[in-house]
Amino acid sequence: MKRQRRPRTAAKKQLVEAEAWDDEVEELRETSADEPDETGWKTSTAQMAGLSRLVRAGVWVLVVSGPVLGALAFLSSSAPAQGAAKPVAAASPASPVGPAGFAELFVAAYLQAGQGTERDLAPYYSGSVALAVKPGTRTATQSTVIASREVQPGYWSITVAADVTAHDDKGMSKRLGIQYFRVGIQATGPAGAGGTEPGATAGYAATSLPSQVAAPTALKPGGLAYETDRGSSSADPSVETSRGFLAAYLTGTTELDRYTSPGTRLQPISPAPYAAVKVTGVQDDSSGSGQQKVPADGTVLHQLVQVDATDQAGSPVSLSYALTLKSRAGRWEVASVDDAPAIRASSPPSAAPHTTTPSPDAAAATPSPSNS
C-alpha cells in the first residue's frame, strides 16, 4: 500500500502545478494578448486558451493514471520471478522397522506352530499351510532381526536370528542354538511404515513360509589402537587410576570424583552390580614399555582395561572398558568412558575361519557359517 501513496502524492503535486500554470497563462493572456513578441509573432487570446486546456488535460491524465501505475508496480514487484525453479520436497526413505518387527513375530509363531495349529499363522500368512511337525516341538527363546533389504518398493526381505530350543515328548528340552530364517514381507502404508502409499493405513503380509538360511560370515575385528601392554602393575600411575575408577564405578564403595577430570559427569552404576573388581590387564596407545612418571598437563592416554568383577552372588564376570585419561597436576584422571574401543586407522574387519565344532544334533539343525 505504501507504493500506491507515492503516485497519488506525485499526482497531487502535478495538479497544484497545473493550477499555478493556469494562473500564469491567464496573466499572459491579459498582458500579451494581440501583442507581437520579439520574433514578430503575435499571440492571440484564443491560442493561449487552447494551450491552457491542453496542459490541463495532460495533468489530469497523470492524476488518473497515477494509482493504476502504482498498483501495477506493486504487483510486478510481488509476483514470483518467471522461470524460477520450485523447491521439490525430498522423498523420505522407506523404513524397515515395521516389516522387520512383523517378520520377527511371524518367525516366532512359525516355530511354535504345528500340525493342527496352522491357524495361528493366519495373522501373518494367508496362504495354504499344512505343517507336519507337532505343535510346541520348537520354540524361539530369543529372536532378533539381523538384516533387512527392500527388494522392490514396499516389498522387503527380512532375516531373523532365533535362539531355538527343541522339546521332546518326555518334556525334555535341548537348545539347538541360533538359527536364521528369511521372510518376504509386503508392506502397505506410508514410507515410515515401509510402504509406498502416503496416508494409507499400515499393514503387512508374508508372501510364504520362512526359509532357513546360513548364518552370516563371522568376522575378525580390525586391529585395535592399544599397542602397548601395561599389564596390571600398581606401580604404573595410569593403571592405578583405572583400577580405582572402575572399582568406584562398579561397586560404589568410593567416590568417582577422586579419579575423574573436573567437569566430567560420570555416575556410578546404581544399584552397584558388583562387590569387588580386579584388573587383569591394561593396554594403551602410548609409546615405551614403562610409564612411571605422569607427563605434562593435558596429555591424553587411551586405555583398554580388562577386569574380573565379582557379582553379589560371588561369581566372577569378565568385562572390558575403553577409557580416556588426561594428566593434570602430576596425576592421571579419567576423562570419559568411551563408547567403543579405538581401532587403528584403515583397519577393516576380515573374514574369520570357523573353528567351533558343533554337536551332531546342532549341526543337523543349524547350518554352519562356513556354508554362507
Side-chain angles (χ1 to χ4, degrees):
M1 298 303 296
K2 291 182 178 180
R3 299 190 179 183
Q4 292 184 359
R5 292 176 182 174
R6 293 179 180 176
R8 292 174 181 173
T9 302
K12 192 172 182 180
K13 181 179 180 182
Q14 291 171 347
L15 182 60
V16 172
E17 293 175 351
E19 293 175 351
W21 170 260
D22 288 345
D23 294 338
E24 294 178 2
V25 170
E26 289 295 334
E27 293 177 3
L28 290 173
R29 185 187 306 171
E30 295 173 356
T31 57
S32 60
D34 299 329
E35 294 182 3
D37 59 11
E38 295 180 354
T39 61
W41 290 91
K42 185 165 49 176
T43 304
S44 66
T45 303
Q47 290 175 334
M48 293 299 296
L51 179 60
S52 175
R53 287 194 295 272
L54 180 62
V55 172
R56 185 181 294 110
V59 171
W60 276 110
V61 169
L62 291 176
V63 171
V64 173
S65 62
V68 178
L69 294 175
L72 291 176
F74 175 77
L75 293 175
S76 64
S77 64
S78 60
Q82 295 296 326
K86 295 182 179 180
V88 179
S92 300
S95 170
V97 174
F102 185 82
E104 187 174 351
L105 292 173
F106 179 36
V107 168
Y110 161 77
L111 290 171
Q112 178 72 30
Q115 188 177 21
T117 63
E118 290 90 350
R119 63 183 180 279
D120 294 342
L121 302 182
Y124 310 98
Y125 175 58
S126 60
S128 178
V129 181
L131 300 177
V133 67
K134 292 181 179 179
T137 301
R138 299 175 300 169
T139 57
T141 56
Q142 290 182 331
S143 63
T144 188
V145 173
I146 64 166
S148 60
R149 183 173 70 88
E150 194 174 19
V151 178
Q152 63 187 54
Y155 187 35
W156 298 82
S157 172
I158 308 293
T159 303
V160 178
D163 193 348
V164 181
T165 298
H167 309 275
D168 61 19
D169 295 336
K170 298 180 180 179
M172 301 297 292
S173 300
K174 183 175 183 178
R175 181 176 179 268
L176 300 181
I178 304 297
Q179 298 182 5
Y180 300 86
F181 300 89
R182 185 174 296 151
V183 188
I185 303 294
Q186 283 186 306
T188 61
T196 59
E197 306 170 53
T201 302
Y204 308 98
T207 55
S208 69
L209 293 177
S211 305
Q212 188 164 352
V213 296
T217 302
L219 296 178
K220 181 180 180 181
L224 297 180
Y226 315 98
E227 300 183 357
T228 301
D229 189 355
R230 295 294 177 194
S232 58
S233 173
S234 59
D236 189 316
S238 65
V239 173
E240 194 60 21
T241 293
S242 299
R243 189 195 316 275
F245 169 79
L246 290 174
Y249 186 70
L250 297 173
T251 68
T253 54
T254 56
E255 296 294 331
L256 284 183
D257 294 347
R258 295 175 53 185
Y259 307 99
T260 59
S261 299
T264 58
R265 298 184 178 181
L266 296 172
Q267 298 292 330
I269 300 176
S270 180
Y274 301 102
V277 172
K278 178 183 178 181
V279 174
T280 59
V282 177
Q283 295 171 286
D284 63 36
D285 61 352
S286 66
S287 60
S289 57
Q291 190 165 319
Q292 305 301 321
K293 294 183 179 180
V294 178
D297 288 4
T299 303
V300 176
L301 181 69
H302 300 96
Q303 285 187 339
L304 183 62
V305 184
Q306 313 291 339
V307 301
D308 283 342
T310 305
D311 64 19
Q312 305 298 342
S315 300
V317 179
S318 297
L319 302 167
S320 296
Y321 286 90
L323 306 177
T324 295
L325 279 64
K326 287 185 179 180
S327 61
R328 185 180 71 92
R331 54 174 289 180
W332 286 108
E333 297 172 332
V334 174
S336 66
V337 177
D338 301 336
D339 293 335
I343 59 174
R344 293 199 302 267
S346 303
S347 183
S350 58
H354 182 66
T355 58
T356 303
T357 302
S359 63
D361 291 340
T366 308
S368 169
S370 61
N371 295 332
S372 59

